């Protein structure tokens, strides 16, 4: 492995920049999910309900393929072809959050078309199972809980390493605040010449 120094890091970034005439935009949204059951109305679904949702998607449309965790072998998501690519829908650190990275597009309208196509395949099935996707960033009722952590191997590290209990009480720890939130990540192509101005602009916008 090359020595980790400034020159090698800069060379690595330059090597991986792709020259494109058109700047692409990508979205990686996360959707909080809630139950519409009379008994649990508005609560976040636990993993057993999300696993049933993934299984139902697989049953209704053979284009969906299962995604299993490489450490636990649990069904933690599904994927489906879209054009020449594949789009996945999977659980986040909170299983009551659905992450759906959409394909990059040349315009926001193009990305929105991809988004509508994928969501139109997920939302009706979810609603048939009394699960609703929300368009904002946190669970409305459910509190942070270890019960929302899906059986993904890499999340075991978070549970073991981030175990402070300044705000939450055992068996929950402070890291479990992240089981109920959701974010919207935006990816925009940046050229070599744009890199430093873009970083400076992002730093200025940061709180």
């Amino acid at each position: 492995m090359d020595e980790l120094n400034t020159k090698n890091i800069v060379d690595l970034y330059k090597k991986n920049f792709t020259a494109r005439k058109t700047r692409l935009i990508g979205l990686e949204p996360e959707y909080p999910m809630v139950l519409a059951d009379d008994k649990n109305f508005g609560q976040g679904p636990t993993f057993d309900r999300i696993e049933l949702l993934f299984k139902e998607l697989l049953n209704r449309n053979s284009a969906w393929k299962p995604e299993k965790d490489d450490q636990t072998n649990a069904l933690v998501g599904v994927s489906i072809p879209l054009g020449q690519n594949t789009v996945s829908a999977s659980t986040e650190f909170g299983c009551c959050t659905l992450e759906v990275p959409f394909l990059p597009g040349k315009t926001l309208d193009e990305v929105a078309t991809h988004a509508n196509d994928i969501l139109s395949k997920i939302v009706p099935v979810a609603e048939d199972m009394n699960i609703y996707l929300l368009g904002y960033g946190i669970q409305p009722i459910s509190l942070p809980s270890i019960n929302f952590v899906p059986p993904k191997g890499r999340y075991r590290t978070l549970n073991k390493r981030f175990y402070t209990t300044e705000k939450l009480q055992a068996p929950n720890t402070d890291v479990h605040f992240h089981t109920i939130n959701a974010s919207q990540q935006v990816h925009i192509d940046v050229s070599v010449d744009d890199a430093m101005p873009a970083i400076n602009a992002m730093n200025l916008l940061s709180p």
Side-chain angles (χ1 to χ4, degrees):
M1 182 176 178
D2 293 335
E3 181 184 355
L4 190 63
N5 55 43
T6 303
K7 181 181 182 305
N8 288 339
I9 293 172
V10 170
D11 289 344
L12 179 65
Y13 272 95
K14 285 183 176 180
K15 178 182 176 181
N16 286 282
F17 269 105
T18 302
R20 271 194 278 257
K21 293 181 179 180
T22 303
R23 195 188 301 271
L24 297 182
I25 303 166
L27 296 180
E28 192 172 333
E30 298 171 358
Y31 299 96
M33 294 179 286
V34 295
L35 297 172
D37 303 346
D38 290 339
K39 187 177 180 181
N40 301 302
F41 190 84
Q43 298 284 347
T46 49
F47 183 73
D48 56 336
R49 294 290 293 269
I50 301 306
E51 187 178 34
L52 288 175
L53 170 60
F54 291 149
K55 288 180 178 179
E56 187 63 18
L57 287 167
L58 293 168
N59 287 336
R60 292 199 193 185
N61 187 341
S62 60
W64 288 106
K65 302 302 178 187
E67 290 192 347
K68 294 193 174 184
D69 186 81
D70 57 0
Q71 296 183 45
T72 67
N73 203 39
L75 178 64
V76 293
V78 290
S79 60
I80 193 168
L82 185 61
Q84 300 298 314
N85 299 283
T86 301
V87 175
S88 64
S90 61
T91 57
E92 246 298 316
F93 181 58
C95 63
C96 50
T97 301
L98 188 71
E99 182 178 38
V100 189
F102 300 125
L103 297 179
K106 297 177 181 178
T107 66
L108 287 174
D109 285 340
E110 190 176 320
V111 177
T113 299
H114 295 157
N116 291 335
D117 188 1
I118 293 300
L119 291 177
S120 69
K121 293 175 172 61
I122 298 173
V123 170
V125 179
E127 291 183 356
D128 284 349
M129 302 181 70
N130 279 339
I131 298 173
Y132 281 73
L133 276 65
L134 304 183
Y136 57 93
I138 196 164
Q139 284 288 327
I141 297 177
S142 294
L143 299 176
S145 172
I146 192 173
N147 294 325
F148 286 135
V149 179
K152 284 187 174 182
R154 62 193 178 98
Y155 292 153
R156 293 173 178 171
T157 303
L158 292 176
N159 278 324
K160 290 179 179 179
R161 302 291 292 181
F162 299 94
Y163 50 80
T164 58
T165 53
E166 295 177 6
K167 302 296 182 182
L168 299 176
Q169 296 181 348
N172 305 311
T173 63
D174 294 338
V175 73
H176 295 125
F177 275 111
H178 295 292
T179 60
I180 61 166
N181 60 16
S183 65
Q184 172 93 262
Q185 299 175 39
V186 180
H187 308 274
I188 301 175
D189 261 341
V190 176
S191 68
V192 173
D193 294 335
D194 290 338
M196 289 312 300
I199 291 172
N200 288 336
M202 291 301 103
N203 285 336
L204 286 171
L205 292 171
S206 299

